[in-house]
Coordinates of all heavy atoms in Angstrom, one line a residue:
A90 N 119.0 108.2 96.8 CA 117.9 108.1 97.9 C 116.8 107.2 97.4 O 116.3 106.5 98.2 CB 117.4 109.6 98.0
M91 N 116.4 107.1 96.1 CA 115.5 106.1 95.6 C 115.9 104.8 95.9 O 115.0 103.8 96.2 CB 115.3 106.5 94.1 CG 114.5 107.9 94.0 SD 114.2 108.2 92.2 CE 113.0 107.0 91.8
T92 N 117.1 104.5 95.7 CA 117.7 103.2 95.9 C 117.5 102.6 97.3 O 117.0 101.6 97.6 CB 119.2 103.0 95.6 OG1 119.4 103.4 94.2 CG2 119.7 101.7 95.8
V93 N 117.8 103.6 98.3 CA 117.5 103.3 99.7 C 116.0 103.1 100.0 O 115.6 102.1 100.6 CB 118.2 104.4 100.5 CG1 117.8 104.1 102.0 CG2 119.6 104.4 100.6
A94 N 115.3 104.1 99.6 CA 113.9 103.9 99.8 C 113.2 102.8 99.0 O 112.2 102.2 99.6 CB 113.2 105.2 99.2
D95 N 113.6 102.4 98.0 CA 113.1 101.2 97.3 C 113.3 99.8 98.0 O 112.5 99.0 98.2 CB 113.6 101.0 95.9 CG 113.1 102.0 94.9 OD1 112.0 102.7 95.1 OD2 113.6 102.1 93.9
A96 N 114.6 99.9 98.6 CA 115.0 98.6 99.4 C 114.5 98.6 100.8 O 114.2 97.6 101.3 CB 116.5 98.5 99.3
E97 N 114.4 99.8 101.5 CA 114.1 99.8 103.0 C 113.0 100.7 103.3 O 112.7 100.7 104.5 CB 115.4 100.3 103.7 CG 116.6 99.4 103.4 CD 118.0 100.1 104.0 OE1 117.8 100.7 104.9 OE2 119.0 99.8 103.5
G98 N 112.2 101.3 102.3 CA 111.2 102.1 102.8 C 111.7 103.5 103.2 O 112.9 103.8 103.3
L99 N 110.8 104.5 103.4 CA 111.2 105.8 103.9 C 111.9 105.8 105.2 O 112.5 106.7 105.6 CB 110.0 106.7 103.9 CG 109.4 107.0 102.5 CD1 108.1 108.0 102.7 CD2 110.3 107.7 101.6
G100 N 111.5 104.7 106.0 CA 112.1 104.6 107.4 C 113.5 104.5 107.3 O 114.2 104.9 108.2
G101 N 114.2 104.0 106.3 CA 115.7 103.8 106.1 C 116.3 104.8 105.5 O 117.6 104.9 105.3
L102 N 115.6 106.0 105.0 CA 116.1 107.0 104.3 C 116.6 108.2 105.3 O 115.9 108.7 106.1 CB 115.0 107.8 103.4 CG 115.5 108.6 102.4 CD1 116.5 108.2 101.5 CD2 114.3 109.2 101.6
S103 N 117.8 108.5 105.2 CA 118.3 109.7 106.0 C 119.5 110.4 105.2 O 120.0 109.8 104.3 CB 118.9 109.2 107.3 OG 120.1 108.5 107.1
M104 N 119.6 111.6 105.5 CA 120.7 112.3 104.7 C 122.0 111.7 105.0 O 122.9 111.6 104.1 CB 120.7 113.8 105.2 CG 119.4 114.6 104.9 SD 118.9 114.6 103.2 CE 119.7 116.1 102.6
R105 N 122.3 111.3 106.3 CA 123.6 110.6 106.6 C 123.8 109.3 105.7 O 124.8 109.1 105.2 CB 123.7 110.3 107.9 CG 125.0 109.7 108.3 CD 125.2 109.3 109.7 NE 126.4 108.5 110.0 CZ 126.7 107.3 109.9 NH1 125.6 106.5 109.5 NH2 127.8 106.9 110.1
R106 N 122.6 108.6 105.6 CA 122.7 107.3 104.9 C 123.1 107.6 103.3 O 123.9 107.0 102.7 CB 121.4 106.6 104.9 CG 121.3 105.3 104.0 CD 122.3 104.2 104.3 NE 122.3 103.1 103.4 CZ 121.4 102.2 103.5 NH1 120.5 102.1 104.3 NH2 121.4 101.2 102.6
I107 N 122.4 108.5 102.7 CA 122.7 108.9 101.3 C 124.1 109.5 101.2 O 124.8 108.9 100.3 CB 121.7 109.9 100.9 CG1 120.2 109.5 101.0 CG2 122.0 110.3 99.4 CD1 119.3 110.6 100.9
A108 N 124.6 110.2 102.1 CA 126.0 110.7 101.9 C 127.0 109.5 102.1 O 127.9 109.4 101.4 CB 126.3 111.6 103.1
T109 N 126.7 108.6 103.0 CA 127.6 107.4 103.2 C 127.6 106.7 101.9 O 128.6 106.2 101.3 CB 127.1 106.6 104.3 OG1 127.3 107.3 105.5 CG2 128.0 105.3 104.5
D110 N 126.4 106.5 101.3 CA 126.5 105.6 100.0 C 127.1 106.3 98.9 O 127.7 105.7 98.0 CB 124.9 105.4 99.6 CG 124.3 104.4 100.6 OD1 125.0 103.8 101.3 OD2 123.1 104.2 100.5
L111 N 127.2 107.7 98.9 CA 127.8 108.5 97.9 C 129.3 108.6 98.2 O 130.0 109.2 97.4 CB 127.1 109.8 97.7 CG 125.7 109.7 97.0 CD1 125.1 111.1 97.0 CD2 125.8 109.1 95.6
G112 N 129.7 108.4 99.5 CA 131.0 108.6 99.9 C 131.4 110.2 100.0 O 132.5 110.5 99.7
I113 N 130.5 110.8 100.6 CA 130.6 112.3 100.7 C 130.2 112.7 102.1 O 129.5 112.0 102.8 CB 129.9 113.1 99.7 CG1 128.4 112.9 99.8 CG2 130.4 112.9 98.3 CD1 127.6 113.9 99.0
P114 N 130.6 113.8 102.6 CA 130.2 114.4 103.9 C 128.7 114.6 103.9 O 128.2 115.1 102.8 CB 131.1 115.7 104.3 CG 132.2 115.5 103.4 CD 131.7 114.8 102.2
T115 N 128.0 114.4 105.0 CA 126.6 114.7 105.0 C 126.2 116.0 104.7 O 125.3 116.4 104.0 CB 126.1 114.2 106.5 OG1 126.4 112.8 106.8 CG2 124.6 114.4 106.5
M116 N 127.0 117.0 105.3 CA 126.5 118.4 105.0 C 126.8 118.8 103.6 O 126.1 119.8 103.1 CB 127.4 119.2 105.9 CG 127.2 119.2 107.3 SD 125.4 119.3 107.8 CE 125.2 121.1 107.4
S117 N 127.5 118.1 102.8 CA 127.7 118.5 101.4 C 126.4 118.2 100.6 O 126.2 118.8 99.6 CB 128.9 117.7 100.7 OG 128.6 116.4 100.7
L118 N 125.5 117.4 101.0 CA 124.3 117.1 100.4 C 123.4 118.3 100.2 O 122.6 118.5 99.3 CB 123.4 116.0 101.1 CG 123.8 114.6 101.0 CD1 123.0 113.7 101.8 CD2 123.9 114.2 99.7
Y119 N 123.6 119.2 101.2 CA 122.7 120.5 101.2 C 123.2 121.4 100.2 O 122.6 122.5 99.9 CB 122.7 121.1 102.6 CG 122.1 120.1 103.7 CD1 122.8 119.4 104.4 CD2 120.7 120.1 103.9 CE1 122.3 118.5 105.4 CE2 120.0 119.4 104.7 CZ 120.9 118.4 105.5 OH 120.3 117.6 106.4
Q120 N 124.2 121.1 99.5 CA 124.6 121.8 98.3 C 123.7 121.6 97.2 O 123.6 122.3 96.3 CB 126.0 121.7 97.8 CG 127.1 122.0 98.9 CD 128.5 121.5 98.5 OE1 128.6 121.1 97.3 NE2 129.4 121.6 99.5
H121 N 123.0 120.4 97.3 CA 122.1 120.0 96.2 C 120.7 120.1 96.5 O 119.9 120.3 95.5 CB 122.6 118.5 95.9 CG 124.0 118.3 95.5 ND1 124.5 118.8 94.4 CD2 125.0 117.7 96.2 CE1 125.9 118.4 94.3 NE2 126.1 117.8 95.5
V122 N 120.2 119.7 97.6 CA 118.9 119.8 98.0 C 118.8 120.6 99.4 O 119.7 120.4 100.3 CB 118.2 118.4 98.2 CG1 118.1 117.7 96.9 CG2 119.1 117.6 99.2
R123 N 117.9 121.3 99.6 CA 117.7 122.1 100.8 C 117.4 121.4 102.0 O 117.7 121.7 103.2 CB 116.7 123.2 100.7 CG 117.1 124.3 99.8 CD 116.0 125.5 99.7 NE 114.8 125.1 99.3 CZ 114.4 125.2 98.0 NH1 115.2 125.7 97.1 NH2 113.2 124.8 97.6
G124 N 116.8 120.1 101.9 CA 116.5 119.3 103.0 C 115.6 118.1 102.7 O 115.5 117.9 101.3
R125 N 115.0 117.4 103.5 CA 114.4 116.1 103.2 C 113.1 116.4 102.3 O 112.8 115.6 101.5 CB 113.9 115.5 104.4 CG 113.2 114.2 104.3 CD 112.9 113.5 105.8 NE 112.1 112.4 105.6 CZ 112.6 111.1 105.4 NH1 113.9 111.0 105.5 NH2 111.8 110.0 105.4
E126 N 112.4 117.4 102.5 CA 111.2 117.7 101.9 C 111.6 117.9 100.3 O 110.8 117.4 99.5 CB 110.4 118.9 102.4 CG 109.8 118.6 103.7 CD 108.8 117.3 103.7 OE1 108.0 117.3 102.8 OE2 109.0 116.5 104.5
E127 N 112.6 118.7 100.1 CA 112.8 118.9 98.7 C 113.4 117.6 98.1 O 113.1 117.3 96.9 CB 114.1 120.0 98.4 CG 114.3 120.2 97.1 CD 115.5 121.2 96.9 OE1 115.7 122.2 97.7 OE2 116.2 121.2 95.8
L128 N 114.1 116.8 98.9 CA 114.6 115.6 98.3 C 113.4 114.6 98.0 O 113.5 114.0 96.9 CB 115.5 114.9 99.4 CG 116.1 113.4 98.9 CD1 116.8 113.6 97.6 CD2 116.9 112.9 100.1
L129 N 112.4 114.5 98.8 CA 111.3 113.7 98.6 C 110.5 114.3 97.4 O 110.1 113.3 96.6 CB 110.4 113.7 99.8 CG 110.9 112.9 101.0 CD1 110.0 113.1 102.2 CD2 111.2 111.5 100.8
T130 N 110.4 115.5 97.1 CA 109.7 115.9 95.9 C 110.5 115.6 94.8 O 109.9 115.2 93.7 CB 109.6 117.5 96.1 OG1 108.8 117.8 97.3 CG2 109.0 118.1 94.8
R131 N 111.9 115.8 94.7 CA 112.6 115.4 93.5 C 112.5 113.8 93.3 O 112.6 113.4 92.1 CB 114.1 115.8 93.8 CG 114.3 117.3 93.7 CD 115.8 117.6 93.9 NE 116.0 119.1 93.7 CZ 116.2 119.7 92.5 NH1 116.2 118.9 91.4 NH2 116.5 121.0 92.4
M132 N 112.4 113.1 94.3 CA 112.2 111.6 94.2 C 111.0 111.4 93.6 O 110.9 110.4 92.7 CB 112.4 110.9 95.5 CG 113.8 111.0 96.1 SD 113.8 110.5 97.9 CE 113.2 108.9 97.9
L133 N 109.9 112.0 94.0 CA 108.5 111.6 93.4 C 108.5 112.1 91.9 O 107.9 111.4 91.1 CB 107.5 112.4 94.3 CG 106.0 112.2 93.8 CD1 105.6 110.7 93.8 CD2 105.1 113.0 94.7
D134 N 109.1 113.2 91.7 CA 109.2 113.8 90.2 C 109.9 112.7 89.4 O 109.6 112.4 88.2 CB 109.9 115.1 90.1 CG 109.6 115.7 88.8 OD1 108.5 115.7 88.2 OD2 110.7 116.0 88.2
A135 N 111.0 112.0 90.0 CA 111.8 111.1 89.2 C 111.0 109.8 89.0 O 111.0 109.1 88.0 CB 113.0 110.7 90.1
V136 N 110.0 109.6 89.9 CA 109.2 108.3 89.7 C 108.2 108.7 88.5 O 108.0 107.9 87.6 CB 108.1 108.2 90.9 CG1 107.1 107.2 90.6 CG2 109.1 107.7 92.1
Y137 N 107.7 109.9 88.4 CA 106.9 110.3 87.3 C 107.6 110.2 85.9 O 107.1 109.8 84.9 CB 106.3 111.7 87.4 CG 104.9 111.7 88.1 CD1 104.9 112.1 89.5 CD2 103.8 111.2 87.5 CE1 103.7 112.2 90.1 CE2 102.6 111.2 88.1 CZ 102.5 111.8 89.5 OH 101.3 111.7 90.2
A138 N 108.9 110.7 86.1 CA 109.7 110.6 84.8 C 110.0 109.2 84.3 O 110.3 109.0 83.1 CB 111.1 111.3 85.2
S139 N 110.0 108.2 85.3 CA 110.2 106.8 84.9 C 109.0 106.1 84.4 O 109.0 105.0 84.1 CB 110.8 106.1 86.1 OG 109.8 105.9 87.2
A140 N 107.8 106.9 84.5 CA 106.5 106.3 84.1 C 105.9 107.2 83.1 O 104.8 107.7 83.5 CB 105.8 106.0 85.4
P141 N 106.4 107.3 82.0 CA 105.7 108.3 81.1 C 104.4 107.7 80.5 O 104.4 106.4 80.4 CB 106.8 108.4 79.8 CG 107.5 107.1 80.0 CD 107.6 106.8 81.4
L142 N 103.5 108.5 80.0 CA 102.2 108.0 79.4 C 102.5 107.6 78.0 O 103.5 108.1 77.3 CB 101.2 109.1 79.5 CG 100.7 109.5 80.8 CD1 99.9 110.9 80.8 CD2 100.0 108.5 81.4

Side-chain angles (χ1 to χ4, degrees):
M91 292 177 68
T92 298
V93 173
D95 288 346
E97 303 176 24
L99 292 177
L102 187 65
S103 70
M104 300 298 270
R105 179 182 180 277
R106 171 64 186 278
I107 300 166
T109 299
D110 289 351
L111 290 173
I113 60 176
T115 302
M116 293 306 296
S117 68
L118 287 178
Y119 295 96
Q120 299 172 10
H121 305 289
V122 292
R123 289 189 294 270
R125 182 180 174 88
E126 289 306 311
E127 180 182 333
L128 176 61
L129 291 174
T130 296
R131 288 182 177 275
M132 291 165 62
L133 184 58
D134 191 51
V136 170
Y137 272 106
S139 71
L142 294 172

